[in-house]
Amino acid sequence: MYVQQLEPVADSLALSALVAALPLATVLILLGALRMKAHRAGVIGLAVAVLVGWLVFGMPLGQTLSAGVQGALFGLFPIMWIVVNALWVYRMTVRTHHFDILRRSFGRLSDDPRIQALVIAFCFGALLEALAGFGAPVAICSVMLVALGFSPVKAAVVSLVANTAPVAFGAMGTPVVTLAQVTDLPLDTVASVVGRQTPLLALVVPLVLVWLVDGRRGLRETWLPALACGVAFAAAQFLAANYVSAQLADIGAALAGAAALVAVPSARRPASEPVRASVLTGVRSDDLDREDPRPEVLRAYAPYALIVVIFSIAQIPPVKEALAKATRVFDWPLLDVADPDGNRVGANVFSLPLVATGGTLVLLAGLFTAVVLGVRAKDAAREWAATVYELRYAILTVTSVLALAYVMNLSGQAGTIGHFVAAAGAGLAFLSPILGWFGVAVSGSDTSANALFGALQVTAAAQSGLSPELLAAANSSGGVLGKMISPQNLTIACAAVGLAGKEGDLLRKVLPWSLGLLLVMCLIVLGQSTAVLGWMLP
C-alpha cells in the first residue's frame, strides 16, 4: 500500500507544495506563455506529474502509471464518449441539411436582432452546450448570427458571452460528473450546489446580451423578454440540477428560456427599421427567406426532442435501476493507495457504467435520429468515424489532463497544495472561483479545470473549515466565466466568422464582462460561506 505524504520535500509544506505545483505550472506556462497546443501541453504536464509523483512523493512507478491510465480511461469513457456521440448527432443534421432548416426556423421566430441573439446565442447555444460543449456552441451560433446579418465581430462577442451560464452542466453534465469523480463527493450534492450558483448568472447574461447587441436602447426596449428568458432559464436549471438530473439541467433550461421568450408579446413585435439598420451591419443570408415544409421543420427539431425524451425515460426509477445493473465495479489493477491518515482512497475501486451514462443514451438518440432524418447506416457510421477524427486532438487533450489530475490526486500532490492553500482561511471562499476561472481561461474546458483543481479545492476547504461541496462547486461555477476568454474559444469564434488573427480584438471586448461577472460569482460564493447567503445551500 502506498500512503500519501504531505511534506516529502525537507519536511516543509511550502517547499513540497511548490514542487507539487510543477505539473500545473508546466501546463499553464506551455499554454499561456508559449502558446503550445493543448494536447501537447497536456502530455508534457502528465510526464512532469509522473516524475514528481514517483521521484519526489515516493509513489511506486507502477502505481503512478496505473493512476494515469485510470484517469485516461475516465477521459475516454464517459467524458469523450458523450462528446463524440453528441457531435455525431449534430453532423447528421448538417449532412441532411436539417440544421439549415432549424436555422431558418429560428430566424422566423422574430425579426428583432436583439431577440434573435437571445434565441440563438443564449437558448440554442445552451442546448448545444448541453449536448456537446467544447467550443461547438460558439462556432455554430456565431455562424448563424452572421447569416442573420450580424457583423462578424458582434456575432462572435455575443456568442462568447452567452456561452457562460450553461457551461457547468455542458456535455450532459460532464464537468460536474468529473468534479464529483475527482473529489469523491456525491454527484447529486455537487450538482445541487452548482445549481444554486450558476442560475444567478443566467438572470444577468440575457440583459448583458441585449446591451451588447444594441446598447442602452436595446436594454430599454427589450429588458422584459430578456429578463423573462433569464428567469425561466435559471428556474429550470435550478430545478433540474437539484431535483431531476444534472445531465438534463441545460436541456431543460434552454427549452424553458426559449419558451418564456416566445411567450412574451413584446418579443414577437417587428423591430423598427432604425434598430435593424444600426444592429445588422453584416450581409443577410439569402436562403433565410426560403419556406420549409412543416414536416421537415419537425424533423429538424426531432434529434433534440429524442435526446430529451430518452434522458427523461432513463431517469424513471425502475428504468434507472435496470440501466445501473450493467455497471461494472472492480478493483483497479496495480493501485493500492491510502490517504495520509491511512484510509484507502476511493480510486482503488473503478466503476464502469456501460449503459447508465450520458454517452450511451446520446448514442441511442443518434441511432433514432439517423432513422428519422433518413441517414443510411453506412453514412451514419462514416459520420461517426469522421467525428472521432475531428475530435482526435480534443480526445488526446482530455485524456492527458485527466491522467495528470489522477496522478496528482493519488500521489498526494493535490493534497499538499490544498493544505498549503488553506492558509488563506475564510478568504479562500472569495478566491475559490478565481482558481476555476483561471483554469478554464487557460485550458478552455470547465471539465479540465475541475479535474485539475477539484481535489485541491476540497482539501483546502477541509483544512480551512469551509464546506468542501461549496468550494468544489465554486471551482466549476467560477470556471464558466473563463470560457469566453480562453484562447481555444477565441480561436474557434474567429475561425467561424472569418476573423482569423483577430483573437486579441475579441479578447479586449469580452474580458471586462468576464472579470465583472467573475467578481459577482466571487461575492456569491463568499456570501454562501457565511450566514448572509448560507441559507441558499442544500
Side-chain angles (χ1 to χ4, degrees):
M1 177 181 286
Y2 166 69
V3 180
Q4 298 171 349
Q5 47 185 327
L6 295 176
E7 301 176 353
V9 181
D11 293 326
S12 168
L13 183 61
L15 290 176
S16 300
L18 188 63
V19 175
L22 285 176
L24 294 178
T26 299
V27 173
L28 298 180
I29 291 171
L30 292 177
L31 283 173
L34 301 183
R35 299 180 180 273
M36 182 178 286
K37 297 291 186 182
H39 62 279
R40 293 175 182 169
V43 171
I44 294 173
L46 170 60
V48 174
V50 168
L51 291 174
V52 172
W54 174 37
L55 299 176
V56 179
F57 280 75
M59 189 179 196
L61 181 59
Q63 295 212 47
T64 307
L65 296 176
S66 180
V69 171
Q70 184 180 144
L73 178 59
F74 182 70
L76 287 173
F77 190 96
I79 293 179
M80 292 310 297
W81 179 237
I82 296 172
V83 177
V84 166
N85 289 322
L87 282 180
W88 172 54
V89 173
Y90 163 70
R91 286 180 64 101
M92 285 193 290
T93 66
V94 172
R95 181 187 182 92
T96 59
H97 302 291
H98 284 89
F99 183 75
D100 292 331
I101 296 173
L102 192 69
R103 174 169 57 85
R104 288 192 287 271
S105 175
F106 286 157
R108 283 191 288 269
L109 287 176
S110 173
D111 73 342
D112 189 327
R114 300 162 300 188
I115 303 301
Q116 290 173 343
L118 293 176
V119 171
I120 293 173
F122 188 69
C123 297
F124 186 59
L127 185 60
L128 292 174
E129 183 68 36
L131 302 180
F134 291 88
V138 171
I140 295 168
C141 293
S142 296
V143 171
M144 291 177 74
L145 290 176
V146 168
L148 290 171
F150 282 69
S151 70
V153 172
K154 185 166 288 187
V157 169
V158 167
S159 299
L160 285 166
V161 174
N163 191 219
T164 49
V167 168
F169 296 102
M172 295 301 176
T174 296
V176 291
V177 169
T178 303
L179 186 62
Q181 180 78 12
V182 301
T183 58
D184 284 332
L185 295 173
L187 172 59
D188 290 344
T189 304
V190 173
S192 178
V193 180
V194 175
R196 295 162 194 247
Q197 294 171 342
T198 56
L200 298 176
L201 291 176
L203 297 174
V204 179
V205 171
L207 297 171
V208 172
L209 294 179
V210 296
W211 175 278
L212 287 171
V213 173
D214 195 28
R216 186 176 300 175
R217 178 180 59 187
L219 194 58
R220 184 178 65 251
E221 294 181 0
T222 57
W223 67 269
L224 181 58
L227 186 61
C229 178
V231 169
F233 186 103
Q237 192 180 60
F238 164 77
L239 292 172
N242 281 273
Y243 305 111
V244 183
S245 165
Q247 286 87 348
L248 290 176
D250 278 350
I251 294 178
L255 296 177
L261 193 59
V262 173
V264 177
S266 60
R268 299 192 300 275
R269 292 193 197 118
S272 63
E273 198 53 42
V275 169
R276 292 182 55 80
S278 64
V279 174
L280 300 180
T281 55
V283 178
R284 187 173 181 272
S285 176
D286 292 335
D287 72 345
L288 288 173
D289 298 322
R290 186 188 308 171
E291 287 293 330
D292 297 301
R294 183 174 293 275
E296 292 303 307
V297 174
L298 294 176
R299 290 173 74 189
Y301 282 93
Y304 309 102
L306 284 169
I307 290 174
V308 173
V309 170
I310 288 173
F311 270 81
S312 299
I313 292 173
Q315 298 306 312
I316 299 173
V319 177
K320 193 173 184 178
E321 291 175 9
L323 296 177
K325 290 180 180 178
T327 299
R328 296 291 176 263
V329 180
F330 53 90
D331 291 332
W332 187 257
L334 301 178
L335 198 63
D336 191 8
V337 180
D339 63 23
D341 296 326
N343 302 313
R344 297 184 82 238
V345 301
N348 292 324
V349 177
F350 190 75
S351 178
L352 194 63
L354 297 174
V355 180
T357 185
T360 303
L361 297 178
V362 175
L363 176 65
L364 179 60
L367 296 176
F368 283 117
T369 294
V371 174
V372 171
L373 299 185
V375 180
R376 294 183 302 174
K378 183 189 297 185
D379 293 332
R382 284 177 179 169
E383 288 296 337
W384 194 90
T387 304
V388 173
Y389 181 78
E390 178 184 334
L391 290 172
R392 62 193 185 282
Y393 293 124
I395 291 171
L396 181 56
T397 299
V398 170
T399 53
S400 61
V401 168
L402 264 295
L404 180 153
Y406 269 61
V407 170
M408 289 191 66
N409 294 344
L410 292 175
S411 66
Q413 296 173 59
T416 295
I417 299 172
H419 279 74
F420 179 73
V421 171
L428 187 60
F430 183 85
L431 298 174
S432 185
I434 297 176
L435 189 59
W437 173 85
F438 182 69
V440 176
V442 172
S443 69
S445 165
D446 200 38
T447 298
S448 297
N450 286 344
L452 290 173
F453 299 131
L456 187 157
Q457 297 266 23
V458 167
T459 303
Q463 293 301 308
S464 59
L466 295 170
S467 164
E469 293 83 3
L470 174 62
L471 294 202
N475 192 84
S476 192
S477 298
V480 306
L481 299 168
K483 196 78 181 277
M484 70 178 83
I485 64 167
S486 70
Q488 172 184 308
N489 255 23
L490 291 170
T491 301
I492 288 172
C494 285
V497 298
L499 293 174
K502 301 291 186 180
E503 289 84 357
D505 295 341
L506 284 188
L507 177 61
R508 284 189 290 273
K509 289 182 178 295
V510 299
L511 182 58
W513 295 106
S514 178
L515 294 175
L517 292 172
L518 175 63
L519 176 60
V520 172
M521 181 55 66
C522 289
L523 293 174
I524 290 171
V525 175
L526 179 61
Q528 290 177 335
S529 70
T530 67
V532 177
L533 296 179
W535 53 269
M536 293 179 62
L537 299 181

